[in-house]
Amino acid sequence: MEILEYDDLDPMSVFRFNMLALDLPLTPEYVAHLRRTDPRPLACFALYAVEKDRVLAQAGLLRFPMMSVEGHEDVGAVWALAAHPQFAGPGVVSRLLEEAHTRLRVAGLRFSMPVTDRY
C-alpha cells in the first residue's frame, strides 16, 4: 500500500471512490473549483491509500483559522475521511491518518480536528 496525493491519481478513480463511499460527486471540475475559491484545502488537497491502482481510503486536508486564548492560530482538519468497505483492511485508515497528521505538522499546524456533517 502507498499513500498518494490527489494529483497523483486518476481523478475518475477518486470520483468513483467518493460516489461509493460518501455519495459525493468529487469531479475534477469540483476539485478545481474548491482549489480556486476555498482557501482552506492544503496544496495536496487529499491523501489516498492505494493498492494496485485501487483507492482504499481517503482523507482530505484543510487549514481552519481559529481563535484561542493565545490569539489567532490555524488548525488542521481532516474531512471526507472514508474507507472502501471491501478493501480497507486493518491499519489502512490508521496509516492514512498518520500521514495526514505528518502533512499537517509539516504545514505548521499544531492541532487537528475532524470535520463532520450529518452524512
Side-chain angles (χ1 to χ4, degrees):
M1 177 184 70
E2 57 186 328
I3 306 296
L4 300 175
E5 296 180 6
Y6 176 84
D7 293 330
D8 298 328
L9 294 170
D10 169 31
M12 292 314 295
S13 67
V14 172
F15 170 78
R16 285 189 295 277
F17 174 83
N18 274 274
M19 289 303 294
L20 171 70
L22 300 172
D23 199 28
L24 172 66
L26 196 59
T27 64
E29 295 80 13
Y30 185 49
V31 171
H33 169 75
L34 290 173
R35 284 177 155 167
R36 225 178 22 259
T37 61
D38 190 339
R40 298 173 302 167
L42 295 189
C44 67
F45 188 74
L47 299 176
Y48 297 86
V50 178
E51 190 169 80
K52 298 179 184 172
D53 295 328
R54 176 163 247 153
V55 176
L56 304 179
Q58 97 177 341
L61 300 178
L62 300 172
R63 173 188 305 267
F64 272 97
M66 303 290 267
M67 288 299 292
S68 71
V69 293
E70 297 175 7
H72 173 268
E73 180 167 2
D74 286 346
V75 174
V78 176
W79 72 283
L81 180 63
H84 191 292
Q86 280 186 306
F87 301 99
V92 172
V93 173
S94 295
R95 173 69 185 95
L96 185 62
L97 285 173
E98 283 176 22
E99 182 64 25
H101 285 106
T102 296
R103 301 288 184 103
L104 293 172
R105 281 191 300 276
V106 167
L109 305 168
R110 296 185 310 145
F111 302 102
S112 67
M113 64 182 181
V115 175
T116 62
D117 65 26
R118 63 185 172 147
Y119 301 107

